[in-house]
Amino acid sequence: MSRPMLLVFLLIILIITSQFEWKQPLVSDIEASPSVSQKQQQISSREEAVKEKIILSQEKNIQRLTELVRSLREQLLQCRSNNETAKGSVSALTEHIIELERQQILED
């Protein structure tokens, strides 16, 4: 074989082998991509599940806080009414004592 023919032959072999090596990783990448996308889907579904659990727990906490606020408002109203009742009875007693003292002063 002549030298140019040998170079052409080696060049063709080099091109063929390089093409063969390039195609193999592409096939393995295509095969690997479904598993990667499946893993990503699993991860995203897990993240969604965690987010849902967090939202549910926050909703429960909000409900508890709402109930506590309602209970505290009822207690405040009871305290106010008790306070007004106590003030009313104290003022009635005070007026009664003043009236008794006036009567004693008038009798003396």
Side-chain angles (χ1 to χ4, degrees), residues 1-61:
M1 271 206 265
S2 67
R3 192 171 216 170
M5 286 297 281
L6 182 62
L7 287 175
V8 169
F9 179 72
L10 287 175
L11 184 61
I12 291 173
I13 290 176
L14 180 66
I15 291 172
I16 291 172
T17 56
S18 65
Q19 290 293 325
F20 180 71
E21 290 174 6
W22 287 344
K23 288 182 182 178
Q24 282 181 345
L26 291 176
V27 171
S28 66
D29 286 344
I30 292 171
E31 291 173 357
S33 66
S35 65
V36 170
S37 66
Q38 287 175 351
K39 287 180 183 178
Q40 288 175 345
Q41 288 176 350
Q42 289 175 350
I43 290 171
S44 65
S45 66
R46 288 178 186 163
E47 287 176 351
E48 289 297 320
V50 169
K51 288 178 183 178
E52 287 178 13
K53 288 180 181 178
I54 290 171
I55 290 171
L56 289 175
S57 69
Q58 288 177 342
E59 287 178 352
K60 287 180 183 178
N61 287 337

Side-chain angles (χ1 to χ4, degrees), residues 92-104:
L93 286 175
T94 305
E95 288 177 11
H96 188 64
I97 291 172
I98 291 172
E99 194 63 36
L100 288 175
E101 286 176 350
R102 282 184 191 164
Q103 287 177 359
Q104 284 180 354

